[in-house]
Structure formats: C-alpha cells, structure tokens
Amino acid sequence: MKPGSEKPPWPGTSYPAPLPTQITAPFWGRAQAFASRPGTYRAPEPIISLQELYNNLCIENSQKINDFILLKLKGVDEEIQKGSEGITLNLAGNNHSMPVERLTNEDFLALSKTIEKNPYVNGLDVRYNLISDAGAYYAAKLLQKQHILIYLNLMFNDIGPKGGELIAKALHKNTTLKYLRMTGNKIENKGGMCFAAMLQMNSSLEKLDLGDTDLGMQSVIAFATVLTQNQTIKGINLNRPILYGEQEESTVHIGHMLKENHSLVTLHMSKHNVKNSGLKQLCDALYLNRSLRYLDVSCNKITHDGMVFLADVLKSNTTLEVIDLSFNRIENAGAKNLSETLASHNRTLKALSVVSNNIKGEGLVALSESMKTNATLSNIYIWGNKFDEATCVAYSNLIEMGRLKPDNTDVQPYEVDGRVYLSEVSNGLKRHYYWTPTYGEAFSHSSNAGFSLVPVGQQL
C-alpha cells in the first residue's frame, strides 16, 4: 500500500480494522485484573516479553514480521530484565548502522498494540519511516490508551493535515505526553490550526516541534495568540512556515506573545523571513520578557542594522543564554555592536552562533576580544565567515590559554609553515537536530550545546 493512499477513518469511509480485542486479552487480562485491585503496587509486570507479544500479534493477523522491530524489542526486553525503567524505543528509519526495514502503517499498528500497556516504555522514536495518515490514526489511539508515554517522535514521515488533526485531537485529553516532534510532516495550515486549538485544552505538553511542516500565516498567528494564555509549553519550534508577503505580520504577533508569556524557554524561528524591522519587534518584547533563554532566528534576512536593536536589549535582558544568528548577514558592523555589549554590559549570554554571516577578520577579532573580559560567554561558533590571519591567531590564542574550550566552538587551529589556520569541527548549537551520528553520542554537549545549556525535557 503506498503511503498516503489510505482513506481516513471518518464515518462512512473504509479503514483498516483495528486488531480484535480478544487477541490482546490473553496477554494482558491478568495484568489488568491485578492493576484494578486496591493497593500501592507501582506497576504490573509484563506477562510475556515484548518480542514474543509482537510476534504473536503478527501471526494472529497474518502480518509480515518486521525483523527490525523484532530486534529492537529484544533489546528493550533485555533492558527490562536489568531493571531499567523509562525506556525509549528507538525505531528510526534512517539508522545506517544496522539493516533497517522501514515501518509501514501496519507495522506501526502491531507495534502500538505491543507497547500500549507496557509500564516500562515511556518514549517512542519512529522518525524517518513510512507512516501516513492511517498510522497517525493508530498513533492517536496509542496516545489515548498508553498512559505513561512522555516522548513521541514522528519526525519526517508522511503524515498530512488529516493525520495531524487526529493526533492533535487525541492530545485534548492526554495528560502524560511531554514532548511531541512532528518535524517534516506536511500537516500544513489545517493541521497547524488543530494543534493551536489543542494547546487551549492540553495542560501537560511542554515541548512541541512543528518545524518544516508547511504551517501557514494563519496557524503561526494562532500559535502566537494561544501562547499568550498557555503557560505549560516551555519550548516550541515553528521553523520554516509558508509565509507570503513582506509585512512580517507573524513576527509582530510573536513579539506580542513574548510580552505576555511568562513560561516559554526556547523559541525557534528559523526561515521566518525575519528582517531588521521584525527583529526590532522581537527585541522590544525581550525588554519585558523574563523567561526566554534560547532564541533561534537563524536563516533569516537580518543585517548589521538589526544588531543595533539586539545589542541594546542585551544590555538589560538578564535571561537570554543562547542566541542563534547563523546564516544571516550581520557583517563586521553587526559583530562589533554585539562584541561591545558583550564586553562591557551583558553577563548572561552563554552561547552565540554567527555562522555564515559574511563577517571578516575585524569583526571576528572583536568578538574574540570580548571573550577576554566576559567570563560568562563560553560557546561561540564562527565557521563560514571570512577568516584572515589575525582571526586565526586570535581564536587559536583563546583555545591555547584555556579561555575557549575546544568542545565549545566549531573551529580548531592547526599550523602549516609557521602560520596558523582554522579548520571546521563538528560542534554546534544543534548539529543533530535532523540526524543522528552513526557513531559517538547522539546527545553530546559539544554537538548540541544549545539543548545542553537550555534543556527542556529529557529528549532533544
């Protein structure tokens, strides 16, 4: 069955029938009966292993067994036997370190039935698979039945507006999920409006990632409006909406929200077409906001004129700890404005990224000089600018004297024929936002400094 070809489960339309209840009853009946007795017992023990339960469900429904799921469930069973709790089941379809058979909607149905009553699995990562609107229906059912799931990653599947609506409506009454990642699913404006409406009802979700989901202007404004009242959400990602026009209406509304909201910790506005006037709207709000610690305005149209507003607000704002200005065009003048404020006024900012901002040696050296007097600024990322010899020497000296740790920057000095150069290293604020490495730690501080410095929940 091709992804997206399924009919949605509305009244009057055909739909894949859920597994009959008599299949699950023999496995979980005793656990349900035990859990219903009064007492202080924490959680029922699984009656059979997840691997065996999944295998039985597939056989009962004449469904092909997915060896990748079977292998991962075996690992979870081993973790449970060791006494582990709070386990995240990782079934990422872009895992290149082992053979992967990407999950279909039918695979996800069997998987959801396998874990829906397991008390040890509280996280599910099924990014980069073949889950469409039909799979979103099963995900919605899982959110209604699984009462300890706190993390669900559906990143880059084939879920559309109707699937987004199903998941959003399931969260109206869900009280356990803390972090939902819908990145890359084209839920569009219709799905975005459903999620905005959900935030009026839900009081448990703390982090919502809707980056690259083709949100429209209407849904971005709806999120800004809802977040003036919702005080539970601590992190939201609204990267790359589909906006038309040059009025920056969405930025105006988000600026107004920041004046009213007192709980939001991280805000991602990459690819929002923010210009200097839009940045001024955000900065005006940051004079009043006392909760935001991580501001991402990368991949916009901000120039050195916008740095006048940002440098001024940093003189009085005492909460911002991470600012991502990557892939703008602040140039030397903007870098100098920031460096003057960081050297003489601000003692709160911990990390700054100015990657690919057309900054030349003079501006880069000015930023390095500010670190000599500012002991708080620990992370700085400068790759993609125009290095000269003075720049290479300045950052080499910072690293050599111990002021700048090698893990806290994206450049590394080396010497050839007595001259110092800088090479790039794989460090940054969110290097592993879209992908995970085939070796090493996926959640290491050096590659994900923004999330390490300003954590919101257990997952990225």
Side-chain angles (χ1 to χ4, degrees):
M1 186 177 292
K2 295 182 179 179
S5 64
E6 302 85 359
K7 294 182 179 179
W10 306 146
T13 61
S14 61
Y15 205 81
L19 295 177
T21 55
Q22 63 265 28
I23 293 174
T24 58
F27 304 130
W28 297 106
R30 286 163 50 201
Q32 289 175 323
F34 189 89
S36 64
R37 299 174 189 169
T40 58
Y41 187 65
R42 180 181 53 78
E45 292 291 331
I47 296 172
I48 61 174
S49 72
L50 292 176
Q51 186 182 17
E52 186 180 349
L53 178 56
Y54 170 73
N55 190 72
N56 290 343
L57 286 170
C58 290
I59 293 173
E60 289 282 348
N61 288 270
S62 302
Q63 180 177 323
K64 181 180 178 294
I65 294 174
N66 187 315
D67 292 332
F68 180 52
I69 296 178
L70 211 58
L71 178 64
K72 287 292 187 174
L73 290 177
K74 179 182 178 182
V76 172
D77 285 334
E78 291 172 355
E79 288 294 314
I80 292 174
Q81 288 186 1
K82 293 176 184 176
S84 301
E85 297 181 6
I87 300 169
T88 295
L89 177 55
N90 186 346
L91 289 161
N94 64 337
N95 189 334
H96 299 295
S97 60
M98 63 175 65
V100 171
E101 185 179 348
R102 294 194 176 188
L103 276 65
T104 63
N105 294 321
E106 291 74 18
D107 290 329
F108 189 76
L109 170 60
L111 176 66
S112 65
K113 288 291 183 181
T114 302
I115 67 169
E116 70 178 21
K117 295 175 183 175
N118 187 280
Y120 299 96
V121 177
N122 69 356
L124 179 60
D125 186 342
V126 288
R127 70 179 85 182
Y128 292 100
N129 282 293
L130 304 175
I131 300 168
S132 65
D133 286 349
Y137 171 77
Y138 304 137
K141 290 295 183 182
L142 181 64
L143 289 170
Q144 292 172 347
K145 295 179 180 179
Q146 224 277 18
H147 299 300
I148 66 166
L149 198 68
I150 63 172
Y151 170 60
L152 178 59
N153 189 341
L154 293 165
M155 172 181 177
F156 284 101
N157 279 280
D158 298 312
I159 299 172
K162 292 179 180 178
E165 182 179 356
L166 285 168
I167 293 172
K169 287 183 176 179
L171 289 172
H172 280 210
K173 296 182 179 180
N174 181 283
T175 59
T176 56
L177 196 72
K178 300 292 185 184
Y179 181 13
L180 174 64
R181 191 168 186 186
M182 294 289 294
T183 321
N185 291 288
K186 307 308 179 184
I187 64 171
E188 301 176 358
N189 195 66
K190 179 183 177 182
M193 292 298 292
C194 292
F195 275 99
M198 175 272 295
L199 291 183
Q200 294 180 302
M201 309 287 291
N202 185 286
S203 60
S204 61
L205 198 66
E206 294 181 3
K207 194 171 182 181
L208 177 61
D209 192 337
L210 295 175
D212 304 278
T213 55
D214 290 0
L215 299 176
M217 176 71 80
Q218 184 185 13
S219 53
V220 172
I221 293 174
F223 278 110
T225 304
V226 168
L227 288 175
T228 59
Q229 301 296 324
N230 184 299
Q231 300 297 319
T232 306
I233 289 286
K234 293 181 172 61
I236 191 163
N237 188 326
L238 300 174
N239 287 350
R240 211 218 64 166
I242 306 299
L243 304 177
Y244 300 97
E246 300 293 325
Q247 299 302 313
E248 297 191 75
E249 187 179 355
S250 64
T251 311
V252 172
H253 283 270
I254 290 174
H256 175 70
M257 177 272 292
L258 288 174
K259 293 179 182 179
E260 304 292 329
N261 185 285
H262 304 294
S263 63
L264 196 65
V265 175
T266 68
L267 173 63
H268 296 270
M269 294 180 61
S270 181
K271 303 176 186 175
H272 257 253
N273 202 29
V274 178
K275 304 182 190 68
N276 294 326
S277 57
L279 184 63
K280 183 179 185 300
Q281 295 285 343
L282 296 177
C283 288
D284 288 344
L286 291 173
Y287 284 108
L288 303 175
N289 185 281
R290 288 294 179 267
S291 66
L292 195 71
R293 296 167 56 196
Y294 186 162
L295 175 63
D296 176 7
V297 286
S298 60
C299 303
N300 283 295
K301 297 180 179 179
I302 301 167
T303 70
H304 57 85
D305 290 335
M307 291 304 97
V308 175
F309 310 125
L310 183 59
D312 192 58
V313 78
L314 286 176
K315 294 177 181 178
S316 58
N317 183 286
T318 58
T319 54
L320 275 174
E321 296 180 10
V322 179
I323 297 179
D324 191 348
L325 290 165
S326 305
F327 303 99
N328 283 285
R329 199 176 179 85
I330 70 170
E331 302 179 317
N332 276 356
K336 286 181 180 179
N337 272 327
L338 283 179
S339 63
E340 289 170 7
T341 296
L342 294 172
S344 58
H345 294 88
N346 184 278
R347 292 297 181 269
T348 309
L349 196 69
K350 295 179 180 178
L352 173 67
S353 177
V354 290
V355 169
S356 297
N357 265 272
N358 200 37
I359 307 172
K360 298 179 181 178
E362 191 179 352
L364 294 169
V365 170
L367 287 172
S368 72
E369 289 295 318
S370 70
M371 295 191 72
K372 294 179 179 179
T373 56
N374 185 329
T376 308
L377 186 63
S378 60
N379 298 56
I380 188 164
Y381 305 95
I382 62 170
W383 186 257
N385 293 294
K386 300 180 179 180
F387 300 160
D388 59 7
E389 187 174 3
T391 301
C392 298
V393 170
Y395 285 89
S396 176
N397 288 339
L398 284 177
I399 294 172
E400 186 177 348
M401 71 175 63
R403 172 61 189 89
L404 181 59
K405 295 181 179 179
D407 283 348
N408 293 348
T409 185
D410 58 349
V411 293
Q412 176 178 295
Y414 66 98
E415 190 172 323
V416 177
D417 295 334
R419 183 171 177 176
V420 178
Y421 298 88
L422 296 176
S423 61
E424 184 183 15
V425 291
S426 187
N427 297 332
L429 293 178
K430 49 176 186 177
R431 282 280 181 152
H432 296 155
Y433 175 72
Y434 290 106
W435 57 281
T436 53
T438 54
Y439 63 91
E441 293 184 20
F443 307 115
S444 65
H445 169 85
S446 60
S447 298
N448 304 282
F451 300 108
S452 298
L453 291 169
V454 185
V456 178
Q458 299 176 355
Q459 306 283 347
L460 290 182

mmCIF file of all heavy atoms in Angstrom, residues 268-289:
data_model
loop_
_atom_site.group_PDB
_atom_site.id
_atom_site.type_symbol
_atom_site.label_atom_id
_atom_site.label_comp_id
_atom_site.label_asym_id
_atom_site.label_seq_id
_atom_site.Cartn_x
_atom_site.Cartn_y
_atom_site.Cartn_z
ATOM 1 N N HIS A 268 12.104 28.750 18.438
ATOM 2 C CA HIS A 268 12.831 28.556 17.183
ATOM 3 C C HIS A 268 12.034 29.193 16.045
ATOM 4 O O HIS A 268 10.915 28.783 15.754
ATOM 5 C CB HIS A 268 13.051 27.069 16.916
ATOM 6 C CG HIS A 268 13.928 26.411 17.935
ATOM 7 N ND1 HIS A 268 15.289 26.335 17.807
ATOM 8 C CD2 HIS A 268 13.624 25.822 19.116
ATOM 9 C CE1 HIS A 268 15.811 25.725 18.860
ATOM 10 N NE2 HIS A 268 14.810 25.396 19.671
ATOM 11 N N MET A 269 12.656 30.196 15.403
ATOM 12 C CA MET A 269 12.025 30.925 14.301
ATOM 13 C C MET A 269 12.957 30.953 13.095
ATOM 14 O O MET A 269 13.130 31.992 12.452
ATOM 15 C CB MET A 269 11.676 32.350 14.730
ATOM 16 C CG MET A 269 10.616 32.456 15.801
ATOM 17 S SD MET A 269 10.308 34.181 16.225
ATOM 18 C CE MET A 269 9.750 34.845 14.657
ATOM 19 N N SER A 270 13.566 29.836 12.775
ATOM 20 C CA SER A 270 14.433 29.762 11.607
ATOM 21 C C SER A 270 13.593 29.837 10.329
ATOM 22 O O SER A 270 12.475 29.321 10.277
ATOM 23 C CB SER A 270 15.221 28.451 11.641
ATOM 24 O OG SER A 270 16.095 28.357 10.543
ATOM 25 N N LYS A 271 14.124 30.511 9.307
ATOM 26 C CA LYS A 271 13.465 30.618 7.993
ATOM 27 C C LYS A 271 12.076 31.245 8.109
ATOM 28 O O LYS A 271 11.100 30.750 7.529
ATOM 29 C CB LYS A 271 13.380 29.248 7.326
ATOM 30 C CG LYS A 271 14.735 28.571 7.158
ATOM 31 C CD LYS A 271 14.604 27.179 6.595
ATOM 32 C CE LYS A 271 15.954 26.464 6.583
ATOM 33 N NZ LYS A 271 15.849 25.070 6.153
ATOM 34 N N HIS A 272 11.998 32.327 8.858
ATOM 35 C CA HIS A 272 10.742 33.051 9.045
ATOM 36 C C HIS A 272 10.698 34.339 8.238
ATOM 37 O O HIS A 272 9.781 35.142 8.418
ATOM 38 C CB HIS A 272 10.532 33.390 10.528
ATOM 39 C CG HIS A 272 9.556 32.518 11.218
ATOM 40 N ND1 HIS A 272 8.291 32.927 11.586
ATOM 41 C CD2 HIS A 272 9.638 31.234 11.620
ATOM 42 C CE1 HIS A 272 7.645 31.941 12.190
ATOM 43 N NE2 HIS A 272 8.442 30.904 12.227
ATOM 44 N N ASN A 273 11.720 34.558 7.401
ATOM 45 C CA ASN A 273 11.800 35.789 6.623
ATOM 46 C C ASN A 273 11.869 37.028 7.531
ATOM 47 O O ASN A 273 11.331 38.093 7.196
ATOM 48 C CB ASN A 273 10.611 35.897 5.660
ATOM 49 C CG ASN A 273 10.880 36.825 4.494
ATOM 50 O OD1 ASN A 273 12.025 36.974 4.068
ATOM 51 N ND2 ASN A 273 9.842 37.460 3.986
ATOM 52 N N VAL A 274 12.515 36.866 8.690
ATOM 53 C CA VAL A 274 12.644 37.981 9.638
ATOM 54 C C VAL A 274 13.672 38.971 9.108
ATOM 55 O O VAL A 274 14.802 38.606 8.776
ATOM 56 C CB VAL A 274 13.067 37.481 11.033
ATOM 57 C CG1 VAL A 274 13.254 38.659 11.989
ATOM 58 C CG2 VAL A 274 12.046 36.495 11.578
ATOM 59 N N LYS A 275 13.283 40.236 9.038
ATOM 60 C CA LYS A 275 14.201 41.300 8.644
ATOM 61 C C LYS A 275 14.511 42.160 9.871
ATOM 62 O O LYS A 275 14.119 41.829 10.986
ATOM 63 C CB LYS A 275 13.581 42.138 7.530
ATOM 64 C CG LYS A 275 13.158 41.330 6.300
ATOM 65 C CD LYS A 275 12.594 42.239 5.231
ATOM 66 C CE LYS A 275 11.949 41.435 4.112
ATOM 67 N NZ LYS A 275 10.738 40.735 4.547
ATOM 68 N N ASN A 276 15.169 43.282 9.654
ATOM 69 C CA ASN A 276 15.563 44.125 10.786
ATOM 70 C C ASN A 276 14.353 44.671 11.542
ATOM 71 O O ASN A 276 14.372 44.751 12.771
ATOM 72 C CB ASN A 276 16.433 45.287 10.291
ATOM 73 C CG ASN A 276 17.761 44.808 9.735
ATOM 74 O OD1 ASN A 276 18.326 43.829 10.205
ATOM 75 N ND2 ASN A 276 18.264 45.490 8.717
ATOM 76 N N SER A 277 13.303 45.027 10.805
ATOM 77 C CA SER A 277 12.099 45.541 11.478
ATOM 78 C C SER A 277 11.441 44.462 12.320
ATOM 79 O O SER A 277 10.920 44.729 13.413
ATOM 80 C CB SER A 277 11.108 46.077 10.446
ATOM 81 O OG SER A 277 10.770 45.066 9.498
ATOM 82 N N GLY A 278 11.466 43.214 11.820
ATOM 83 C CA GLY A 278 10.911 42.107 12.600
ATOM 84 C C GLY A 278 11.732 41.820 13.833
ATOM 85 O O GLY A 278 11.187 41.537 14.908
ATOM 86 N N LEU A 279 13.061 41.883 13.691
ATOM 87 C CA LEU A 279 13.922 41.674 14.858
ATOM 88 C C LEU A 279 13.679 42.750 15.902
ATOM 89 O O LEU A 279 13.725 42.479 17.105
ATOM 90 C CB LEU A 279 15.386 41.657 14.425
ATOM 91 C CG LEU A 279 16.388 41.348 15.542
ATOM 92 C CD1 LEU A 279 16.167 39.938 16.093
ATOM 93 C CD2 LEU A 279 17.819 41.501 15.051
ATOM 94 N N LYS A 280 13.400 43.976 15.457
ATOM 95 C CA LYS A 280 13.091 45.052 16.408
ATOM 96 C C LYS A 280 11.831 44.719 17.203
ATOM 97 O O LYS A 280 11.760 44.967 18.414
ATOM 98 C CB LYS A 280 12.910 46.374 15.675
ATOM 99 C CG LYS A 280 12.656 47.559 16.617
ATOM 100 C CD LYS A 280 12.493 48.854 15.855
ATOM 101 C CE LYS A 280 12.360 50.024 16.816
ATOM 102 N NZ LYS A 280 11.195 49.896 17.727
ATOM 103 N N GLN A 281 10.815 44.130 16.535
ATOM 104 C CA GLN A 281 9.598 43.722 17.247
ATOM 105 C C GLN A 281 9.923 42.700 18.333
ATOM 106 O O GLN A 281 9.410 42.784 19.461
ATOM 107 C CB GLN A 281 8.597 43.117 16.250
ATOM 108 C CG GLN A 281 8.066 44.067 15.206
ATOM 109 C CD GLN A 281 7.031 45.031 15.769
ATOM 110 O OE1 GLN A 281 6.473 44.799 16.848
ATOM 111 N NE2 GLN A 281 6.783 46.110 15.046
ATOM 112 N N LEU A 282 10.789 41.743 18.006
ATOM 113 C CA LEU A 282 11.164 40.731 18.992
ATOM 114 C C LEU A 282 11.964 41.359 20.136
ATOM 115 O O LEU A 282 11.766 41.024 21.306
ATOM 116 C CB LEU A 282 11.983 39.619 18.323
ATOM 117 C CG LEU A 282 11.263 38.793 17.250
ATOM 118 C CD1 LEU A 282 12.233 37.785 16.634
ATOM 119 C CD2 LEU A 282 10.059 38.066 17.838
ATOM 120 N N CYS A 283 12.885 42.246 19.794
ATOM 121 C CA CYS A 283 13.720 42.872 20.822
ATOM 122 C C CYS A 283 12.890 43.751 21.754
ATOM 123 O O CYS A 283 13.142 43.798 22.970
ATOM 124 C CB CYS A 283 14.827 43.698 20.171
ATOM 125 S SG CYS A 283 16.113 42.697 19.399
ATOM 126 N N ASP A 284 11.893 44.458 21.205
ATOM 127 C CA ASP A 284 11.012 45.268 22.058
ATOM 128 C C ASP A 284 10.319 44.387 23.096
ATOM 129 O O ASP A 284 10.109 44.802 24.247
ATOM 130 C CB ASP A 284 9.965 45.988 21.204
ATOM 131 C CG ASP A 284 10.563 47.129 20.379
ATOM 132 O OD1 ASP A 284 11.708 47.542 20.696
ATOM 133 O OD2 ASP A 284 9.912 47.578 19.427
ATOM 134 N N ALA A 285 9.947 43.176 22.684
ATOM 135 C CA ALA A 285 9.294 42.253 23.620
ATOM 136 C C ALA A 285 10.279 41.716 24.649
ATOM 137 O O ALA A 285 9.917 41.470 25.808
ATOM 138 C CB ALA A 285 8.665 41.097 22.850
ATOM 139 N N LEU A 286 11.539 41.541 24.248
ATOM 140 C CA LEU A 286 12.534 40.959 25.148
ATOM 141 C C LEU A 286 12.940 41.909 26.269
ATOM 142 O O LEU A 286 13.569 41.483 27.233
ATOM 143 C CB LEU A 286 13.767 40.514 24.351
ATOM 144 C CG LEU A 286 13.529 39.312 23.422
ATOM 145 C CD1 LEU A 286 14.744 39.059 22.551
ATOM 146 C CD2 LEU A 286 13.189 38.069 24.241
ATOM 147 N N TYR A 287 12.599 43.177 26.154
ATOM 148 C CA TYR A 287 12.809 44.086 27.283
ATOM 149 C C TYR A 287 11.901 43.711 28.446
ATOM 150 O O TYR A 287 12.238 43.926 29.603
ATOM 151 C CB TYR A 287 12.516 45.541 26.866
ATOM 152 C CG TYR A 287 13.588 46.186 26.028
ATOM 153 C CD1 TYR A 287 13.378 46.415 24.680
ATOM 154 C CD2 TYR A 287 14.806 46.568 26.590
ATOM 155 C CE1 TYR A 287 14.349 47.022 23.896
ATOM 156 C CE2 TYR A 287 15.791 47.169 25.811
ATOM 157 C CZ TYR A 287 15.561 47.394 24.470
ATOM 158 O OH TYR A 287 16.538 47.980 23.700
ATOM 159 N N LEU A 288 10.735 43.131 28.106
ATOM 160 C CA LEU A 288 9.736 42.794 29.125
ATOM 161 C C LEU A 288 9.752 41.321 29.500
ATOM 162 O O LEU A 288 9.374 40.966 30.616
ATOM 163 C CB LEU A 288 8.339 43.185 28.628
ATOM 164 C CG LEU A 288 8.138 44.652 28.235
ATOM 165 C CD1 LEU A 288 6.751 44.850 27.643
ATOM 166 C CD2 LEU A 288 8.339 45.559 29.434
ATOM 167 N N ASN A 289 10.151 40.463 28.546
ATOM 168 C CA ASN A 289 10.116 39.022 28.788
ATOM 169 C C ASN A 289 11.216 38.603 29.758
ATOM 170 O O ASN A 289 12.365 39.032 29.626
ATOM 171 C CB ASN A 289 10.278 38.268 27.467
ATOM 172 C CG ASN A 289 10.138 36.773 27.619
ATOM 173 O OD1 ASN A 289 11.060 36.101 28.053
ATOM 174 N ND2 ASN A 289 8.973 36.260 27.268
#
